[in-house]
Amino acid sequence: MNKKVLTALAVAGIATAAMATEVSADTYTVQTGDTLSSIATNHNTTIDRLISVNKIANANLIFAGQQVELDDQAAAPVTQQASVQVAPVQEQVAVAAPVAQQAPVQQAAPVQQKAAPVQSVSTAAASGSTYDQFIAAGGNSAMWQSIVMPESGGNVNASNGQYHGLGQTNQSWGHGSVATQTAGMLNYANSRYGSVDNAISFRAANGWW
């Protein structure tokens, strides 16, 4: 589940060919080499706004394929000009392409937009094959009881609008197998909260994660 993160050097006057970044009306898919600084500049917003909207814990840690929600004031992307000046190192973190078969980490939607899962399964599911596959894929019983069961009731196919799977997030791996979803949840917990235990504590305190 390791991701390679490259640190960009602060170099002024690097000539770059103009390129346009593909975006949707209200979200942007992170590309290799993107930073929060470049995304904010290209969409007429600020780093602080992106951090607030997406609840980003570490402004220097984003991943290729991640969906970044833009604020309501974001404008159409601007074209990068030649001879631009790169932002300081502390604001620049290059993003490595995701490893093959490894799900990219994305940010969960704010809690106010997230309703309870539509489909619920009894806690007896903990003794079934889904639980066994979850444990075999690296999950643990504490994560199952504190996150999986409250979010999806242990149903790998649970769906509530844009939220899917065992962890009920809007991540692409939420549509995958038990092993793929388990790997995605572990990666998400470690990258956003620092550890699975921290993610469990946050879920218990806030009712979402």
Side-chain angles (χ1 to χ4, degrees):
M1 303 306 300
N2 293 326
K3 287 183 178 292
K4 296 182 179 178
V5 179
L6 304 177
T7 302
L9 298 177
V11 180
I14 297 179
T16 59
M19 64 175 68
T21 303
E22 181 182 349
V23 296
S24 64
D26 56 0
T27 61
Y28 171 75
T29 301
V30 176
Q31 306 295 317
T32 300
D34 279 346
T35 65
L36 280 183
S37 175
S38 67
I39 294 172
T41 298
N42 290 345
H43 293 85
N44 194 25
T45 185
T46 66
I47 295 175
D48 290 340
R49 181 59 179 164
L50 292 178
I51 291 174
S52 175
V53 171
N54 293 276
K55 298 186 180 297
I56 296 174
N58 185 346
N60 292 326
L61 183 63
I62 58 176
F63 301 100
Q66 177 176 333
Q67 297 293 315
V68 176
E69 293 188 14
L70 307 173
D71 65 19
D72 294 338
Q73 302 301 318
V78 298
T79 301
Q80 298 179 355
Q81 303 296 326
S83 299
V84 297
Q85 182 170 349
V86 179
V89 172
Q90 60 269 25
E91 297 181 2
Q92 291 285 87
V93 178
V95 182
V99 178
Q101 299 182 350
Q102 181 175 359
V105 174
Q106 300 175 337
Q107 302 300 323
V111 62
Q112 60 269 25
Q113 299 177 355
K114 186 173 181 180
V118 171
Q119 189 169 359
S120 178
V121 176
S122 169
T123 54
S127 62
S129 62
T130 299
Y131 174 79
D132 294 338
Q133 292 176 61
F134 177 83
I135 296 300
N140 58 44
S141 59
M143 191 176 195
W144 177 271
Q145 293 296 335
S146 301
I147 295 180
V148 174
M149 293 304 295
E151 291 288 345
S152 66
N155 182 3
V156 69
N157 296 314
S159 180
N160 180 30
Q162 63 176 316
Y163 305 104
H164 305 282
L166 295 173
Q168 286 292 288
T169 69
N170 60 357
Q171 317 303 305
S172 60
W173 42 260
H175 297 278
S177 64
V178 174
T180 296
Q181 291 189 37
T182 303
M185 290 179 64
L186 291 171
N187 192 22
Y188 178 81
N190 287 314
S191 64
R192 181 167 185 177
Y193 300 103
S195 69
V196 171
D197 288 342
N198 289 344
I200 290 173
S201 297
F202 186 93
R203 175 64 177 77
N206 297 277
W208 64 278
W209 73 308

